[in-house]
Amino acid sequence: MPLFKTRTAAIYGVDALHIDVEVDMYLGDPKSFITVGLPDTAVRESRERIKSSLINAGYGYPAKAVTVNLAPANIRKEGAGFDLPIALGILGAMGAIPSKALEDFLVVGELSLDGGVRPVRGALPTAVCAKKEGVPNVVVPKENAVEAAVVEGVNVYGVDYLADVVRLIEKPESREPVSGNAALNGDPAWSAPSHDFRDVRGQETAKRALEIAAAGGHNVLMVGPPGSGKTMLAKRFPGILPGLTFEEALETTKVHSVSGVLASNAGLIRERPFRSPHHSISNAGLVGGGMGMAKPGEVSLAHNGVLFLDEFPEFPRNVLELLRQPLEDGEITIVRSDLSLTFPSSFMLVAAMNPCPCGYFGDPNRDCRCTPAQIQRYVGKISGPLLDRIDIHVEVPPVKYRELRSDQLAEPSEAIRRRTETARQVQMRRGYPNARMPSKQIREFCKLDERGERTLESAVQRMGLSARAHDRILKVSRTIADLGGSDQVIVNHLAEAVQYRSLDRTYWA
């Protein structure tokens, strides 16, 4: 049987595309092993891994020339996940596997030299692709099986060795597929976080701002001197966020799967991600890209979660400016000459910064050594358009000694999360979190009475707010009203929202 065909998938963005692996064997130089169909270096190097795997697994290697075609040929193929389907194709061409035995299987996996099957990235999108193509069975490395079993409607089999795959194909009824229940690991109910707000002394204003941000999905900027607790607050922020829905968990797990950062034997991600990159990060590291096929960056790994940027002005300005599109659209598009990929990036930005280079501008206990020009140059690294996209600006002053030494316990994260969950449920009945409310819906859900109209008009004129800032104030007001259980946005809600836009007029004046 000189020609044999197997099915596999190639990762393209955060999705997987169906790939046919066609193996042709013919008389010729046994050293001839040609792979066509836009393979990258890892795919071309598969010859040596496959040859050793077949020999060491006891199947031998044919004394013929081999040509492998990965179709369709116009899609770039990356990674070692094509090893296993190519090896099966060679076995089929050798007659070791029955004809048409692999029609109902989609296979991915990297081979080791002894015939072992190693984990790959993108097992979850691969299972989604199999379901979409109507392929009933998916074979993946054992470490990826729980992840792939999230997808209902396909049978997922985890394998350790090449010989396991051959036995499975010959007698599918001899193996039970991985249970989908194993993929839903972790209790979806809330569990106490390792970082709890009960440990934070003082900073009631900042805690209130973070509660509002968590309830509505708003972006936050915290400004304060070193040691005031900005990082401490940010690390506890995920503990008060509403839980992931199944759809959000699926999206988040797909991004982490194709990025290769999902832990072995991990199922569905149940906690909102918290990403905190260093300020030395590159453009591609933040928004995605890199050599070869573009991969998701930190803004996508934080999808449905939190992106924390500490020491905000220390990030290169050109890197920060790349945040504009994902903050506005909830996705990032990477355009190359030969491809265009869109990655999801609906995250909450939490940024922290000092008010000046030395960190003590406005501190009542320490003298600032910076000149006005130095301060302006420092805060000027955060551009007006980027600052305009951050809904809540809050000052985090030094903690007073009496608050620091107080024995009174602060409110725990559990109590705060219950309020944010209730407010988010109200918003989702409208269809979306308040931070993502479309402009055409703002007038419907953020109606103001006469006093509210006068207050907002005064704030816009006095502070010189943009149309975007005007809309974001109304969205934050709606979140404050939801936390208070109010159907109507009243002047008190609006006044509190306006106060969270005052710092940009203090430091960036």
Side-chain angles (χ1 to χ4, degrees):
M1 187 182 297
L3 180 64
F4 201 86
K5 182 186 293 186
T6 63
R7 297 170 182 260
T8 187
I11 302 302
Y12 195 82
V14 294
D15 297 312
L17 301 179
H18 176 256
I19 301 295
D20 286 323
V21 179
E22 300 171 339
V23 177
D24 191 19
M25 193 180 300
Y26 49 92
L27 293 176
D29 184 0
K31 295 182 179 180
S32 177
F33 190 103
I34 302 171
T35 305
V36 296
L38 284 184
D40 74 340
T41 303
V43 180
R44 289 195 295 269
E45 289 177 345
S46 65
R47 174 187 180 274
E48 305 304 325
R49 293 191 296 272
I50 292 170
K51 181 177 179 180
S52 295
S53 295
L54 290 172
I55 293 173
N56 291 325
Y59 295 106
Y61 189 78
K64 295 182 179 181
V66 176
T67 297
V68 179
N69 178 40
L70 305 176
N74 62 331
I75 297 174
R76 187 183 301 276
K77 321 300 187 307
E78 287 191 348
F82 296 93
D83 289 2
L84 187 55
I86 293 174
L88 293 175
I90 292 175
L91 287 175
M94 292 167 58
I97 296 177
S99 176
K100 298 183 179 181
L102 280 166
E103 286 187 352
D104 292 333
F105 288 86
L106 190 147
V107 184
V108 294
E110 176 185 346
L111 288 175
S112 61
L113 300 185
D114 64 352
V117 181
R118 289 177 171 162
V120 295
R121 64 185 182 90
L124 175 56
T126 297
V128 173
C129 173
K131 181 179 180 179
K132 181 180 177 182
E133 294 293 326
V135 182
N137 304 303
V138 179
V139 178
V140 297
K142 189 175 181 179
E143 290 87 344
N144 299 124
V146 177
E147 168 195 344
V150 169
V151 182
E152 296 180 349
V154 292
N155 299 317
V156 176
Y157 299 93
V159 293
D160 285 319
Y161 293 95
L162 177 60
D164 293 342
V165 187
V166 176
R167 285 193 293 269
L168 171 65
I169 292 167
E170 291 175 343
K171 294 182 179 180
E173 66 280 358
S174 64
R175 290 277 301 269
E176 286 292 327
V178 177
S179 170
N181 293 330
L184 303 176
N185 60 351
D187 185 358
W190 189 88
S191 57
S194 55
H195 300 291
D196 199 295
F197 266 96
R198 70 164 70 244
D199 303 325
V200 181
R201 300 285 190 253
Q203 303 298 6
E204 298 305 321
T205 301
K207 290 179 186 177
R208 169 66 174 171
L210 290 176
E211 179 180 341
I212 295 168
H218 302 288
N219 304 314
V220 186
L221 172 63
M222 295 183 287
V223 183
S228 59
K230 302 184 297 294
T231 304
M232 187 178 188
L233 287 163
K235 286 183 177 179
R236 283 152 178 77
F237 184 61
I240 65 172
L241 292 173
L244 287 169
T245 64
F246 179 79
E247 290 74 17
E248 289 175 333
L250 195 62
E251 290 176 354
T252 305
T253 307
K254 280 178 66 175
V255 175
H256 285 241
S257 175
V258 301
S259 301
V261 298
L262 200 64
S264 296
N265 296 310
L268 208 61
I269 291 177
R270 306 310 301 243
E271 297 292 334
R272 292 189 182 272
F274 179 83
R275 306 293 298 185
S276 180
H278 191 260
H279 55 72
S280 60
I281 191 171
S282 66
N283 291 8
L286 185 65
V287 299
M291 299 295 291
M293 185 75 72
K295 294 181 177 61
E298 290 293 326
V299 297
S300 296
L301 291 172
H303 180 58
N304 291 320
V306 179
L307 178 66
F308 175 48
L309 301 184
D310 204 1
E311 305 296 342
F312 202 32
E314 299 300 333
F315 286 79
R317 178 161 180 158
N318 66 303
V319 173
L320 291 180
E321 292 304 302
L322 296 173
L323 290 172
R324 291 196 200 179
Q325 184 196 1
L327 284 175
E328 197 72 25
D329 302 335
E331 60 183 24
I332 184 74
T333 301
I334 309 296
V335 180
R336 302 270 182 81
S337 59
D338 57 343
L339 62 84
S340 176
L341 296 176
T342 298
F343 298 117
S345 57
S346 179
F347 60 91
M348 281 171 281
L349 173 65
V350 177
M353 61 177 287
N354 297 327
C356 66
C358 79
Y360 297 107
F361 176 69
D363 191 325
N365 304 316
R366 300 284 295 269
D367 293 330
C368 176
R369 304 188 304 270
C370 305
T371 66
Q374 288 175 321
I375 295 173
Q376 285 303 305
R377 188 160 53 247
Y378 180 74
V379 300
K381 294 179 181 179
I382 315 301
S383 69
L386 178 57
L387 196 64
D388 220 24
R389 288 168 166 81
I390 301 177
D391 306 3
I392 297 174
H393 311 154
V394 61
E395 194 162 18
V396 185
V399 182
K400 296 178 181 178
Y401 179 79
R402 288 186 178 180
E403 292 178 336
L404 193 62
R405 299 297 299 166
S406 174
D407 292 332
Q408 183 178 357
L409 289 177
E411 188 176 28
S413 294
E414 182 178 4
I416 302 173
R417 176 158 172 162
R418 281 198 296 265
R419 294 196 294 269
T420 62
E421 285 269 16
T422 301
R424 185 65 69 90
Q425 289 168 7
V426 172
Q427 296 165 38
M428 296 314 294
R429 285 197 288 269
R430 303 184 195 119
Y432 26 70
N434 287 338
R436 296 292 174 187
M437 185 185 297
S439 298
K440 64 181 181 180
Q441 303 295 337
I442 291 177
R443 289 185 179 273
E444 179 182 352
F445 298 120
C446 305
K447 293 179 180 178
L448 302 177
D449 57 17
E450 188 175 343
R451 286 184 62 199
E453 289 287 355
R454 289 199 302 268
T455 300
L456 183 57
E457 181 182 9
S458 174
V460 170
Q461 293 179 350
R462 186 179 73 256
M463 300 168 68
L465 299 174
S466 67
R468 181 185 289 112
H470 162 274
D471 287 354
R472 290 180 182 266
I473 284 176
L474 287 174
K475 292 177 183 180
V476 173
S477 302
R478 180 65 263 172
T479 300
I480 296 170
D482 292 336
L483 279 169
S486 173
D487 293 332
Q488 181 70 28
V489 176
I490 61 175
V491 69
N492 291 347
H493 304 146
L494 190 63
E496 184 177 0
V498 168
Q499 102 177 3
Y500 294 129
R501 299 293 306 196
S502 60
L503 282 190
D504 56 342
R505 300 308 183 264
T506 301
Y507 294 101
W508 281 264

